[in-house]
Amino acid sequence: VPVTIRDVAREAGVSVGTVSRVMNDSAQVSPHTRAQVLDVVAALGYQPNQSGRALARGRLPTVAVIVPFVTHPSAIARIRGLVDGFRRVGHPVSIFDVEMPEHADEHLLTLTSGLRPEGAVIVSLPMSAPRVATLADAGLRPVLVDAEADGLSSVVIDDVAGGALATAHLTELGHRRVAFLGDREPDGFGFVSSVRRHEGYREALAAAGVTPEPAYERTAPHGRETACEQTRALLALPEPPTAVFAASDTQALGVLDAAAARGLRVPEDLSVVGFDDIDVAAHAGLTTVRQPLFESGLAAARILQAEVEEASRAPERLVLPVELVTRRTTAPPGSPARSARREDTPA
Amino acid sequence: VPVTIRDVAREAGVSVGTVSRVMNDSAQVSPHTRAQVLDVVAALGYQPNQSGRALARGRLPTVAVIVPFVTHPSAIARIRGLVDGFRRVGHPVSIFDVEMPEHADEHLLTLTSGLRPEGAVIVSLPMSAPRVATLADAGLRPVLVDAEADGLSSVVIDDVAGGALATAHLTELGHRRVAFLGDREPDGFGFVSSVRRHEGYREALAAAGVTPEPAYERTAPHGRETACEQTRALLALPEPPTAVFAASDTQALGVLDAAAARGLRVPEDLSVVGFDDIDVAAHAGLTTVRQPLFESGLAAARILQAEVEEASRAPERLVLPVELVTRRTTAPPGSPARSARREDTPA
DNA sequence: CTGTTAGCGCGTTCAG
DNA sequence: CTGAACGCGCTAACAG
């Protein structure tokens, strides 16, 4: 038998309004009345019905997270941070997965007219001005992760710098034939991180005095298999690259697959650098540019919570650091095998 | 400006009741009226306010998932399945993380008196009769994953058989000194899978005619590091085991750590079998008992949806198959190195 | 088949 | 500082 605000009011000998005020500890209630009400609340085990509360206030006591491809390791890591962060403040997290470009606007519509959440975190999706305005009309000021928009808080990394970091590592090792493997852009989602990392690649190459080689720059729909295919093509070139910078760890694993299929040793015959530092990167010994995925979720949760509590808060732009993690997939070009692992293929 | 059911009713020249019926396509509405209403709905871009709907119906249009340790790889895999499954039917998933035993009942209370979801999936938590009754009073019949209770649908695996499968693999390889490393039970959560896998271990040992050795059976709080510590103790025994069956892949990785720290070769000096087949297992080359984690989430979503649509549906008990995945961490005891990887330590 | 109406549980005026 | 009353948007029960 659910106990309502009326039960509490009757039992405490006050009106529902007073109980409501106590529960929202907003208005000034006399200490005596407050204590009395709280006693009854405890005695009856009263818990406000969130549906009623939601209807009266216009928003549900949940936080919505819109994120493309929840099954991707990088998305998982971010969601972990988000869930962890919101658990600390007691907010259930509703997850909206975007598997196709049109899902994004569908979910946005759900947020604005269907169930209105307390707040929202939007990951990796470009927020056009109309989108921002629509959300704002509904009283929603989402926190962006891996994306930016005027007037909204965001948690990002410097993808250009990250791409340059990876590429510079390779050129410093002595590589001149460095390939780039990124996401094919025209997929309708408008993701920009791969493009930015590509920019960083170009910059670092220029800084190292390496002439760009168009044949070395390839893109493919995101995925391990597609990356493997592209790498096969790369390795079949008359003058194949000695190193590959992949715009994500998933793609870097595909590069590794292609190298293995061709009988190339890594890093002796081919150096590989990834991006993200997802869990498997450590196990694969992959050299990569680490971005704080878990922390990005945590930070977004913290910022959103702060904005919910103080609506007038100024937008915050948080740039998380990237860092090169050197493991076992990078070495100078043509370097001798560290151990005679394959006697049948002498260097 | 939000458009309400009244706007639609006025515009369509019908009553709100009729609009409601059309939106819930439950009652019989004349095709003509229905079409007329739907036209207006489309024209006005009407989307029902879920808060109002929730208040009137007594439940929110979301599905709650209560799961311990969301950050664990196995939980992640299950959640992926759940989110994927519910996305297909358009239900936002609210995630409730359980990090401490008391969180479970807190979340349960939230479901029954706070925000009442359309349905709930509860993972790995034992549901006592009182808990089930409380939920039932609130009209909630949760679907259980990795747990069972009378009158509730559940998605499980045969942990005893899984434990036996792992152990038999080891004895068939010729191992007689086989250790078991599981979760320390009295942690307040009441998880049973590790205990069941332990049973399977004992059964398989008996079937192989191996005398149980208490010193070989150890438990520790779940974790890679704690598993590593326990394994150190195991390996320091006068007559150390030649094989270890760990009740989870995470713990198996800890076993591997301990072996490496002691300079033991795997599988030549020590065979290791894990359980779950989480993502990193493949990369670690870990032999393990695979359970369909992703599928368990998908299946739970499917069953819950069926029960929401047909309340009188009989409970379903789905047993998912387990399967031994043989990789590179198991071999006959004292087997010679397959490759002379460590000349400094001749077999 | 459709209109009317009474709440669902709570927040929030407005008086006092 | 507190009580009374209204309405949030919708569903469902009841007439017709």
Side-chain angles (χ1 to χ4, degrees):
Chain A
V1 287
V3 27
T4 76
I5 197 171
R6 269 188 286 272
D7 300 326
V8 176
R10 185 170 8 84
E11 196 71 19
V14 299
S15 73
V16 295
T18 300
V19 177
S20 173
R21 280 184 280 262
V22 170
M23 294 309 288
N24 297 287
D25 51 34
S26 54
Q28 45 267 7
V29 182
S30 83
H32 177 69
T33 316
R34 166 182 300 278
Q36 194 169 326
V37 170
L38 288 177
D39 277 352
V40 176
V41 165
L44 267 45
Y46 168 66
Q47 231 190 334
N49 177 312
Q50 298 299 339
S51 298
R53 190 159 201 274
L55 181 54
R57 301 191 22 178
R59 35 193 69 261
L60 254 13
T62 64
V63 167
V65 173
I66 300 185
V67 46
F69 307 119
V70 289
T71 57
H72 280 19
S74 58
I76 293 287
R78 286 198 159 105
I79 292 174
R80 276 163 49 171
L82 252 2
V83 171
D84 197 36
F86 285 119
R87 181 181 51 75
R88 300 180 189 182
V89 297
H91 269 311
V93 174
S94 285
I95 295 179
F96 295 83
D97 185 21
V98 175
E99 296 284 328
M100 299 196 295
E102 54 270 35
H103 288 170
D105 279 311
E106 289 171 18
H107 292 325
L108 254 21
L109 192 60
T110 302
L111 297 197
T112 54
S113 41
L115 81 176
R116 303 197 178 185
E118 199 68 51
V121 173
I122 299 177
V123 179
S124 298
L125 265 8
M127 292 295 286
S128 57
R131 278 185 171 174
V132 174
T134 307
L135 256 8
D137 285 347
L140 240 30
R141 191 171 60 148
V143 171
L144 268 29
V145 175
D146 186 31
E148 297 182 70
D150 282 346
L152 298 184
S153 287
S154 55
V155 179
V156 297
I157 59 168
D158 187 338
D159 283 296
V160 177
L165 196 59
T167 310
H169 169 59
L170 260 10
T171 59
E172 279 161 19
L173 244 20
H175 291 275
R176 308 288 292 177
R177 307 211 304 268
V178 179
F180 170 83
L181 180 54
D183 288 358
R184 177 111 71 214
E185 184 41 31
D187 47 8
F189 289 98
F191 300 146
V192 293
S193 61
S194 177
V195 176
R196 296 248 174 81
R197 291 166 197 174
H198 194 174
E199 279 176 38
Y201 157 88
R202 288 207 203 87
E203 286 180 9
L205 242 38
V210 175
T211 315
E213 169 53 60
Y216 286 171
E217 307 182 18
R218 306 186 72 98
T219 60
H222 190 273
R224 181 169 178 163
E225 290 70 25
T226 50
C228 181
E229 287 166 26
Q230 293 297 318
T231 307
R232 284 171 187 272
L234 236 23
L235 297 177
L237 251 25
E239 203 170 43
T242 62
V244 179
F245 164 42
S248 73
D249 286 347
T250 298
Q251 288 164 309
L253 292 175
V255 174
L256 256 23
D257 293 341
R262 206 182 169 87
L264 291 180
R265 295 163 309 168
V266 172
E268 295 83 1
D269 303 322
L270 186 72
S271 283
V272 181
V273 181
F275 205 111
D276 285 344
D277 197 24
I278 59 179
D279 290 348
V280 301
H283 287 88
L286 182 67
T287 292
T288 191
V289 176
R290 171 172 203 277
Q291 68 162 317
L293 294 167
F294 179 86
E295 291 79 357
S296 75
L298 217 50
R302 181 182 57 67
I303 295 173
L304 181 53
Q305 184 58 22
E307 293 188 349
V308 163
E309 287 173 4
E310 187 193 353
S312 62
R313 206 161 180 282
E316 175 177 350
R317 180 170 182 275
L318 180 62
V319 181
L320 260 20
V322 291
E323 169 195 11
L324 182 73
V325 180
T326 310
R327 296 205 181 92
R328 303 189 304 277
T329 58
T330 47
S335 60
R338 272 183 280 184
S339 64
R341 212 175 94 219
R342 298 169 49 98
E343 284 77 7
D344 52 338
T345 314
Chain B
V1 286
V3 24
T4 77
I5 197 173
R6 269 187 283 274
D7 300 327
V8 177
R10 184 170 8 83
E11 196 71 19
V14 299
S15 73
V16 293
T18 299
V19 177
S20 174
R21 280 185 282 263
V22 170
M23 293 311 287
N24 296 287
D25 51 33
S26 54
Q28 46 268 5
V29 182
S30 83
H32 177 69
T33 317
R34 165 182 302 279
Q36 194 170 326
V37 170
L38 287 176
D39 276 353
V40 176
V41 165
L44 266 46
Y46 168 66
Q47 233 191 333
N49 177 313
Q50 299 299 340
S51 297
R53 189 161 202 271
L55 180 55
R57 303 196 21 183
R59 35 192 71 263
L60 252 17
T62 64
V63 168
V65 173
I66 301 185
V67 48
F69 306 121
V70 289
T71 57
H72 281 20
S74 58
I76 294 289
R78 286 200 159 102
I79 292 173
R80 276 163 47 172
L82 252 3
V83 171
D84 198 36
F86 286 119
R87 182 181 50 75
R88 300 180 190 181
V89 297
H91 269 311
V93 174
S94 285
I95 294 179
F96 296 84
D97 185 20
V98 175
E99 296 283 329
M100 300 196 295
E102 54 270 33
H103 288 170
D105 279 312
E106 288 172 18
H107 291 325
L108 253 20
L109 191 60
T110 302
L111 297 198
T112 55
S113 47
L115 79 176
R116 304 197 177 184
E118 199 67 51
V121 173
I122 300 178
V123 179
S124 299
L125 264 11
M127 291 296 286
S128 58
R131 276 184 173 174
V132 173
T134 307
L135 255 9
D137 285 348
L140 239 31
R141 192 171 61 150
V143 171
L144 269 27
V145 176
D146 186 31
E148 296 182 70
D150 283 346
L152 298 184
S153 288
S154 57
V155 179
V156 296
I157 59 167
D158 187 339
D159 283 295
V160 177
L165 196 59
T167 310
H169 169 58
L170 259 11
T171 59
E172 278 161 20
L173 243 21
H175 291 275
R176 307 288 293 177
R177 308 212 303 269
V178 180
F180 170 82
L181 181 54
D183 288 359
R184 176 110 72 216
E185 184 41 31
D187 49 6
F189 289 98
F191 300 145
V192 294
S193 60
S194 176
V195 175
R196 296 250 173 80
R197 290 167 198 175
H198 194 172
E199 280 175 38
Y201 158 87
R202 289 208 203 87
E203 286 181 10
L205 242 38
V210 175
T211 316
E213 168 54 59
Y216 286 171
E217 306 182 17
R218 307 186 71 98
T219 59
H222 190 271
R224 180 169 181 163
E225 290 71 24
T226 52
C228 181
E229 287 165 25
Q230 294 297 317
T231 307
R232 283 171 187 274
L234 236 25
L235 297 178
L237 252 25
E239 203 171 42
T242 60
V244 180
F245 163 42
S248 73
D249 286 347
T250 300
Q251 289 165 308
L253 293 175
V255 175
L256 258 20
D257 292 340
R262 206 183 168 84
L264 291 180
R265 297 163 308 169
V266 172
E268 295 83 2
D269 304 323
L270 186 72
S271 283
V272 182
V273 180
F275 205 111
D276 283 345
D277 196 25
I278 59 178
D279 290 347
V280 301
H283 288 89
L286 182 67
T287 292
T288 192
V289 176
R290 170 171 204 276
Q291 69 161 317
L293 293 167
F294 179 86
E295 291 79 358
S296 75
L298 217 49
R302 182 183 55 68
I303 294 173
L304 181 53
Q305 184 59 23
E307 294 188 349
V308 163
E309 287 173 3
E310 186 193 352
S312 62
R313 206 161 179 282
E316 175 176 351
R317 180 171 182 275
L318 181 62
V319 181
L320 260 20
V322 291
E323 169 194 11
L324 183 73
V325 181
T326 310
R327 297 205 181 92
R328 303 189 304 275
T329 58
T330 48
S335 59
R338 273 184 280 184
S339 62
R341 213 175 95 219
R342 298 169 52 97
E343 284 78 6
D344 51 336
T345 313

